Amino acid sequence: MPTKLKTDPKPIAGSQQRAPWINRLSGTTKIVILLGLSAIGMVSYDTRYLVLLTAFAFIFYAAARLKWRQVRGLVYAIIGFTLLNLVLVYVFSPHYGAEIYGSSHVLFGSGFFVVTTEELFYLLNMTLKYIFIVPLILAFLYTTDPSELAAGMNRIKIPYKICYAVELSLRYIPDFMREFKQISLAQQARGLEISKKAGIWQRVKGSSQILLPLVFSSLDRIEVTTRAMRLRRFGTQKKRTWYMSHPLAKLDYGLIFFTVVLIVLGIALFQVNGGRYYNPFN
Amino acid sequence: MNEKKSSRGLSVQAVVATGIGIAIVFVLKRFVPIPTGVPNTTIDLGEAFLTFLAAIFGPAVGGLTAFFAHLFTDLSWGDPWWSWIIADALFGFLIGYSRNLLKIKQEKLTTGKLVKFNVLQVVANILCWGVLAPLGDIWIYSQPAGKVFLQGVTATITNSLAIGIVATLLLIAYGKTQNQDQKLTKE
Amino acid sequence: MSTPNIVFKNVSFQYRNQTEPTLKNVNLEIMPGEKVLLTGPSGSGKSTLDSLLNGVIPAEFPGELHGQVQINGREITELDITALSFEVGTVLQDSDAQFVALTVAEDVAFALENDQRPVPELHERVAQWAEILDLPELLSHKPQELSGGQKQRVALAGVLIDNEPILLLDEPLANLDPAAGKASMELLARLADERGLTVIVIDHRIEEALQVAFDRLIILKDGQIIANDTPAEVLQTDVLLKNGLREPLYVTALKDAGIDVAQLSGLDDLPQLELPAQMGQQLATWQASLPQPPVETKPQPLLRGEGLNFGYAGQPPLFTNFDFTINAGEMVALVGQNGTGKTTLINLITGFLTPRSGSLTLGSQPLEQLSVKERAERIGYVLQDPNQMLSQTMVFAEVALGLKLRHVPADEQQTRVAKILKVTGLYPYRNWPLSALSFGQKKRVTIAAVLVLEPEILILDEPTAGQDLAHYAQMMDFLADLNRDLGVTVVMVTHDMNLMLSYADRALVLDQGRFLAQAPPAEVLTDQAVIKQAHLSHLSLQTLAQKAGIADAISFAEKFTAYERSKQHAYQVEN
């Protein structure tokens, strides 16, 4: 193709690395692990449990054998994002930790911005909740064949039409990145100023000059693609099969089983702790 | 559309619109944010395109597109934030009902309709970003109210603005291509 | 005699939102195993006929059907788009849109997946069809990684996997370079013969399509069939040219020389055509009487690139120490196979891409410091797809946009835009919405929008893509006038060898980041090695000259195309 983007379209799923077992995992397994851990980690505030989840996630990260330069940019972005959130939380509610844990051990400072052990502990938990799943996602981003996702989603009973919409989106992301870039340059040649020099209002209006061609070409694309799919009988049956679907292997079942155990453990801890928080202060 | 309902669920066109919608909204969210000057907040053109798409293809396409586009964007940053993903999906779903209001494929787009559309989008934004997303952050993630409402209000304002300007322009332009019954003459 | 598998009896069709029927009283029979080329000027009803055959009408476009259409013995009214898909396989014009899956294998399997065939069967049949269409090593490739010809083979596999008896192809030659187009037609002919398929090709590139044998050539005009015979018979008449369609150039040459083509059998098969000696003599005498077009040399360099280095991230470098020169006042054709760096080179010139090193100079001005916007004021670039450039809703506003964004005073905008609109013949449409224009008209709007900035160089990517003969000639003559009268230097990226010979002073043949040749088109077209390497093609005129024993085949081709250009004005349609 003549016009390639310099930015490599890899965000959702990229090239496969030589990794021992993680590449053999089926898409279904990865979706189940990701959704399951993400859901339980979202709710739980048990520090010990979150550390356990983080350790589990790092097993996948290690298996993916990623190079630091591959993930460097994302890791910095996540650190920046997490720090910003921590600061915001602290600035808005320095007493939130004390409120949750029902005690207040002052470390230093006084007045509104007093620093308590409870607040720091709460912030530690929050940080864990932000980052525990990151190693897992990084590993999956770089080791998952995008073709497996739709088939994998359909296996966990998500309606096949929704799964196919996802397949189509993955097929079109590189195309639209290229097209967006091309249109944006063509509009700059027309005289559009979209650099940082222009004011925000100018940039919003300017971007609609880029969006308009993109929107109309995408509406055309929707029409032609619909025709192409109907001419090959998409959506005429209650189900469909998938070229890319593979039966689950022992490893898949094993990991799904282990994930379920982890989730049950997380729920059990709610009972033990009498709630979502693990409270070391009483 | 006289599509024969030989199977249940989405029409083929809705599937394609969702797929292409996810791709475009993702590209816009991920690669073309316009910073506002307020830290961590950007004008999100993805939401503007999402709204436009939902206004043409309806709630199902809007909801699904919003859900997956937001999920993919978060995943590409390494961290899904479910309360906002769900709020976005709900926003896409709600704004999809503007299809019934605009009827852009059949009827002329009047100023009155655009005003109603904008009222609707602002209400949907307030509900989803100003109320639901922060409440989700509080209930699910146990974050302090002050912080999440600040983020929610900022998102409400920037999204309402992006949609109010960009999506409205897109709708006007699209409306002009749909009703071409006026007689064109060379002069 | 077997029974026909497609029958049209007194068929008329009118779209719901139109006042006139698009097809009028069409009668047609196509026998099993026939290969049919269906052609006609824009708006003749070709696509309506196509949509009736595969069920897109009425599934997407409702309307009123009169008369009888039967496919494989069944009434079309009893068949919907799904049932029809088992009888008629359709390859859409846009093979990129036809590709709906993430990889080749999945796309080939798509129809069978939708039929819920078991997974092992999917793999087996995909492997089988990949073998037939020479795709095995491409199975895991993404659409973005394929050439136009490869995408078309994937599209064929994805359709043929159903074993339908009828195959329908909409403009299979669009977007292919000459060599890929020929290969594609040959593949199609081979498949049709081996599998006994009925093949219907809809295309207006008649000469290119007829590189393989068709049984029938059908011409539609205003919704009616005006010719329906063997290609040889149809070519003997003047029905093609009269209706704004491009005749194979060698046929036009024979006719212009006053040769009675009715005496020639197999007129559609040039390689096998036997030209009697006295006819060859007649052709030779006629061509000797044609004036030799003047060769102008324009040696003053205008745009120069020196020592350019460029490669896409993660790929081997495309240009290494690359030099090029465009001379002032030239019309240059940039040719070469798809994906060989033509568009990349243009993007480096326009500033869409930045070279790793090397210099670009326009006149005496180094281009490095100029932004995309500033370069555009001196180097106008018309993209292949006008839809990527158009961002306004009305014609006048679109053309004025570049001036407006450059803060040109309003009254000056008015006069400059009006002037350009008149030059481009768009003035009558100045108050029209862009959405009401045809593809060719939109392309002209983009040219106007670029010209209004008064650039010194105009670069056009595929200026004539998607235009029929009349509009093609109009567009090219317009560019030639601009070049001659206003002195605008014109660079055209093209796959059309006839266009190159007729209009270009010089051809730059690009191959994998280097020039294979920089020479007058005639020289390029006589260099066998360059033609093969760069995926170009010979002209049919050269073959004809050889058959007639004319020694200087390329000079014959040059003279003839110059003569054609002067004659074509006669066919130009007013809009």
Side-chain angles (χ1 to χ4, degrees):
Chain A
M1 286 286 103
T3 47
K4 278 232 171 76
L5 267 188
K6 279 161 95 181
T7 39
D8 188 22
K10 63 173 179 226
I12 290 297
S15 59
Q16 273 153 297
Q17 301 278 309
R18 279 283 138 246
W21 50 269
I22 189 166
N23 278 356
R24 292 201 309 272
L25 282 187
S26 102
T28 312
T29 314
K30 287 175 176 165
I31 294 167
V32 170
I33 296 176
L34 182 69
L35 291 182
L37 293 192
S38 165
I40 189 74
M42 175 171 81
V43 190
S44 173
Y45 253 93
D46 189 314
T47 324
R48 301 159 302 180
Y49 183 65
L50 288 172
V51 170
L52 178 67
L53 291 187
T54 313
F56 184 58
F58 263 106
I59 296 175
F60 293 91
Y61 183 80
R65 291 183 189 167
L66 303 178
K67 301 255 186 335
W68 172 238
R69 61 172 169 77
Q70 286 176 286
V71 297
R72 191 173 49 195
L74 274 180
V75 170
Y76 290 152
I78 292 162
I79 291 173
F81 167 80
T82 309
L83 282 178
L84 188 74
N85 271 289
L86 289 181
V87 169
L88 272 179
V89 168
Y90 173 72
V91 167
F92 270 88
S93 317
H95 310 290
Y96 199 58
E99 213 175 288
I100 288 172
Y101 297 108
S103 60
S104 179
H105 298 80
V106 177
L107 275 177
F108 52 84
S110 60
F112 183 71
F113 286 112
V114 65
V115 177
T116 62
T117 320
E118 282 79 2
E119 179 73 10
L120 289 185
F121 188 67
Y122 163 72
L123 291 179
L124 168 72
N125 279 295
M126 212 187 78
T127 309
L128 278 172
K129 285 164 76 73
Y130 273 122
I131 61 161
F132 81 97
I133 201 134
V134 171
L136 183 87
I137 289 174
L138 289 179
F140 285 175
L141 278 185
Y142 286 93
T143 59
T144 305
D145 181 350
S147 295
E148 282 217 349
L149 280 180
M153 283 169 63
N154 194 211
R155 195 189 283 272
I156 55 170
K157 304 293 176 226
I158 296 172
Y160 80 83
K161 288 180 176 173
I162 294 177
C163 302
Y164 209 84
V166 169
E167 166 112 355
L168 273 177
S169 75
L170 296 172
R171 180 244 179 277
Y172 274 117
I173 284 170
D175 278 9
F176 282 122
M177 283 176 63
R178 188 168 54 208
E179 187 152 342
F180 184 85
K181 180 118 184 175
Q182 185 75 8
I183 291 174
S184 156
L185 286 161
Q187 296 306 326
Q188 284 177 56
R190 299 291 307 278
L192 178 69
E193 192 69 71
I194 56 161
S195 68
K196 304 219 159 49
K197 274 183 277 175
I200 171 167
W201 172 249
Q202 213 49 43
R203 287 180 67 184
V204 173
K205 261 180 55 185
S207 32
S208 64
Q209 194 186 326
I210 300 174
L211 269 187
L212 213 61
L214 186 72
V215 163
F216 285 118
S217 80
S218 67
L219 291 173
D220 283 347
R221 197 90 70 107
I222 290 172
E223 197 176 307
V224 184
T225 307
T226 303
R227 187 174 310 153
M229 286 171 58
R230 293 185 76 186
L231 285 170
R232 290 199 280 161
R233 299 188 293 283
F234 180 83
T236 53
Q237 309 282 321
K238 286 208 172 63
K239 291 179 184 165
R240 87 193 286 276
T241 50
W242 304 81
Y243 181 88
M244 291 301 290
S245 73
H246 300 298
L248 298 187
K250 276 191 192 135
L251 180 66
D252 292 299
Y253 283 116
L255 279 169
I256 291 174
F257 177 73
F258 191 69
T259 305
V260 172
V261 170
L262 272 177
I263 293 170
V264 171
L265 176 68
I267 295 167
L269 282 171
F270 294 163
Q271 299 295 322
V272 176
N273 296 334
R276 287 157 60 189
Y277 302 96
Y278 162 65
N279 191 343
F281 299 102
N282 50 10
Chain B
M1 219 134 298
N2 58 345
E3 186 147 315
K4 210 170 123 188
K5 286 266 178 262
S6 40
S7 76
R8 301 166 58 79
L10 299 169
S11 71
V12 182
Q13 194 191 37
V15 171
V16 178
T18 305
I20 285 179
I22 298 169
I24 294 184
V25 176
F26 170 79
V27 170
L28 292 175
K29 274 182 184 292
R30 183 66 167 75
F31 300 101
V32 219
I34 301 173
T36 51
V38 183
N40 218 17
T41 48
T42 53
I43 297 258
D44 188 348
L45 293 175
E47 291 297 313
F49 179 75
L50 165 70
T51 306
F52 169 77
L53 194 77
I56 295 177
F57 294 102
V61 172
L64 286 167
T65 302
F67 178 82
F68 284 104
H70 200 126
L71 174 63
F72 286 0
T73 313
D74 277 9
L75 285 176
S76 75
W77 287 116
D79 217 352
W81 202 248
W82 291 101
S83 45
W84 285 56
I85 294 172
I86 290 160
D88 206 345
L90 197 71
F91 175 79
F93 182 77
L94 288 179
I95 201 67
Y97 281 101
S98 64
R99 176 178 61 173
N100 305 349
L101 162 80
L102 294 168
K103 297 195 183 72
I104 197 162
K105 287 189 179 175
Q106 299 94 37
E107 296 174 13
K108 209 166 152 39
L109 191 62
T110 58
T111 317
K113 282 185 183 176
L114 280 174
V115 171
K116 280 188 203 151
F117 163 79
N118 271 295
V119 171
L120 184 69
Q121 67 98 350
V122 172
V123 171
N125 268 310
I126 294 173
L127 183 67
C128 294
W129 304 115
V131 180
L132 278 170
L135 286 183
D137 280 358
I138 294 168
W139 289 333
I140 304 176
Y141 290 98
S142 280
Q143 297 216 345
K147 178 236 176 193
V148 295
F149 276 109
L150 172 79
Q151 288 177 321
V153 167
T154 318
T156 308
I157 294 170
T158 58
N159 282 339
S160 302
L161 274 178
I163 295 167
I165 301 165
V166 180
T168 307
L169 283 175
L170 293 179
L171 283 170
I172 292 171
Y174 181 71
K176 284 188 186 158
T177 67
Q178 288 302 297
N179 291 286
Q180 286 177 357
D181 39 331
Q182 84 255 44
K183 287 279 168 284
L184 292 167
T185 46
K186 299 182 208 173
E187 343 168 25
Chain C
M1 188 92 195
S2 54
T3 50
N5 55 6
I6 298 175
V7 180
F8 278 65
K9 265 189 217 152
N10 302 320
V11 174
S12 298
F13 181 80
Q14 182 171 342
Y15 289 100
R16 191 178 284 168
N17 53 4
Q18 287 186 357
T19 47
E20 289 265 307
T22 304
L23 288 181
K24 297 167 200 158
N25 210 20
V26 169
N27 285 292
L28 181 64
E29 284 190 357
I30 294 174
M31 304 306 273
E34 261 195 306
K35 292 196 288 291
V36 176
L37 177 61
L38 177 68
T39 192
S42 341
S44 59
K46 295 189 299 258
S47 15
T48 306
L49 197 87
D50 170 280
S51 302
L52 275 173
L53 286 174
N54 60 24
V56 167
I57 292 176
E60 281 182 45
F61 307 110
E64 217 175 303
L65 178 70
H66 293 286
Q68 235 185 342
V69 184
Q70 286 176 349
I71 295 191
N72 294 331
R74 295 165 71 190
E75 291 294 327
I76 205 164
T77 42
E78 297 161 9
L79 301 165
D80 63 3
I81 187 166
T82 307
L84 270 169
S85 72
F86 290 104
E87 313 290 339
V88 182
T90 311
V91 175
L92 297 176
Q93 174 181 355
D94 183 352
S95 54
D96 200 49
Q98 173 109 17
F99 204 125
V100 295
L102 265 162
T103 60
V104 170
E106 290 168 87
D107 194 69
V108 174
F110 185 74
L112 299 182
E113 291 178 334
N114 294 332
D115 295 342
Q116 303 187 65
R117 308 309 306 164
V119 179
E121 185 190 328
L122 299 181
H123 284 261
E124 190 187 314
R125 280 171 71 181
V126 167
Q128 179 197 346
W129 277 97
E131 201 61 53
I132 296 171
L133 288 164
D134 197 18
L135 295 168
E137 72 283 11
L138 300 177
L139 280 178
S140 62
H141 279 48
K142 299 186 162 56
Q144 290 84 5
E145 300 162 351
L146 303 181
S147 71
Q150 288 169 335
K151 269 188 206 151
Q152 204 161 66
R153 299 214 303 271
V154 174
L156 277 172
V159 163
L160 289 171
I161 200 162
D162 279 344
N163 294 316
E164 311 89 340
I166 302 171
L167 189 58
L168 191 60
L169 296 102
D170 191 2
E171 303 224 18
L173 291 160
N175 311 319
L176 294 184
D177 60 46
K182 183 161 191 245
S184 172
M185 292 312 292
E186 281 166 353
L187 171 71
L188 198 59
R190 178 175 62 101
L191 284 171
D193 292 342
E194 283 172 8
R195 315 204 149 248
L197 300 173
T198 306
V199 176
I200 301 170
V201 171
I202 299 177
D203 212 309
H204 60 261
R205 296 163 195 80
I206 298 159
E207 176 164 342
E208 288 86 343
L210 288 180
Q211 289 180 102
V212 299
F214 277 89
D215 300 306
R216 218 130 43 103
L217 177 56
I218 298 174
I219 302 172
L220 270 178
K221 169 101 189 287
D222 296 331
Q224 285 169 309
I225 291 180
I226 54 167
N228 178 4
D229 216 326
T230 64
E233 297 278 340
V234 176
L235 290 182
Q236 284 170 358
T237 67
D238 55 1
V239 63
L240 286 170
L241 284 182
K242 253 175 98 191
N243 292 289
L245 292 163
R246 188 169 259 262
E247 194 175 58
L249 278 181
Y250 69 92
V251 176
T252 314
L254 286 169
K255 289 177 183 168
D256 284 350
I259 290 167
D260 180 10
V261 286
Q263 310 264 330
L264 291 167
S265 62
L267 191 56
D268 59 324
D269 188 3
L270 179 62
Q272 302 300 318
L273 184 70
E274 282 176 32
L275 197 64
Q278 131 272 342
M279 283 189 187
Q281 192 55 49
Q282 196 177 343
L283 191 67
T285 320
W286 176 72
Q287 72 101 24
S289 73
L290 293 177
Q292 179 76 36
V295 183
E296 284 180 68
T297 48
K298 292 161 182 163
Q300 184 65 41
L302 177 62
L303 174 66
R304 273 204 311 233
E306 277 167 332
L308 292 174
N309 286 292
F310 179 79
Y312 291 100
Q315 289 175 41
L318 185 52
F319 291 109
T320 312
N321 242 334
F322 180 78
D323 300 335
F324 74 92
T325 307
I326 309 284
N327 296 319
E330 265 189 325
M331 258 182 117
V332 176
L334 182 58
V335 297
Q337 63 172 299
N338 277 333
T340 206
K342 300 191 297 285
T343 306
T344 306
L345 177 58
I346 305 267
N347 285 343
L348 289 171
I349 295 172
T350 53
F352 286 17
L353 293 171
T354 312
R356 289 191 187 144
S357 63
S359 71
L360 283 160
T361 334
L362 180 65
S364 55
Q365 158 107 62
L367 289 179
E368 284 79 27
Q369 306 101 319
L370 299 187
S371 68
V372 168
K373 177 181 172 184
E374 288 161 336
R375 284 191 206 192
E377 288 154 25
R378 307 191 57 192
I379 305 172
Y381 177 26
V382 181
L383 278 73
Q384 181 172 355
D385 181 359
N387 294 324
Q388 293 188 335
M389 296 183 68
L390 302 174
S391 65
Q392 306 296 302
T393 45
M394 308 304 277
V395 171
F396 193 95
E398 186 68 57
V399 178
L401 180 71
L403 297 175
K404 195 175 135 206
L405 290 170
R406 285 172 177 80
H407 312 294
V408 171
D411 50 338
E412 191 188 334
Q413 283 184 29
Q414 289 286 333
T415 44
R416 278 171 74 175
V417 172
K419 183 182 141 212
I420 289 295
L421 286 174
K422 280 175 187 154
V423 172
T424 48
L426 288 165
Y427 195 72
Y429 305 94
R430 63 192 178 285
N431 294 323
W432 282 34
L434 286 161
S435 51
L437 301 184
S438 71
F439 184 87
Q441 287 170 323
K442 281 186 186 169
K443 187 115 191 173
R444 250 191 300 160
V445 172
T446 60
I447 294 180
V450 163
L451 279 177
V452 79
L453 298 174
E454 296 172 359
E456 292 146 73
I457 300 186
L458 187 61
I459 301 177
L460 302 108
D461 203 342
E462 294 283 356
T464 56
Q467 316 218 22
D468 57 25
L469 177 64
H471 293 105
Y472 163 97
Q474 215 171 28
M475 172 76 74
M476 287 315 301
D477 286 340
F478 165 66
L479 290 174
D481 289 349
L482 271 181
N483 175 257
R484 192 186 55 236
D485 302 339
L486 303 179
V488 179
T489 304
V490 178
V491 179
M492 306 167 286
V493 177
T494 185
H495 286 313
D496 185 335
M497 297 297 107
N498 289 310
L499 182 154
M500 173 175 92
L501 183 68
S502 306
Y503 292 92
D505 302 315
R506 216 155 58 97
L508 304 180
V509 186
L510 199 59
D511 184 58
Q512 305 307 328
R514 65 199 173 92
F515 281 134
L516 281 182
Q518 306 182 63
E523 218 170 282
V524 168
L525 285 168
T526 42
D527 189 332
Q528 197 57 47
V530 168
I531 286 181
K532 195 161 187 309
Q533 175 83 23
H535 277 214
L536 309 178
S537 65
H538 271 296
L539 303 179
S540 62
L541 289 170
Q542 290 170 274
T543 316
L544 179 67
Q546 279 149 14
K547 284 189 185 286
I550 297 170
D552 190 352
I554 199 69
S555 143
F556 166 67
E558 276 184 297
K559 284 177 176 176
F560 174 73
T561 46
Y563 169 73
E564 267 302 288
R565 263 174 77 174
S566 60
K567 210 181 67 172
Q568 255 164 22
H569 289 278
Y571 291 114
Q572 282 187 20
V573 223
E574 280 300 309
N575 354 240

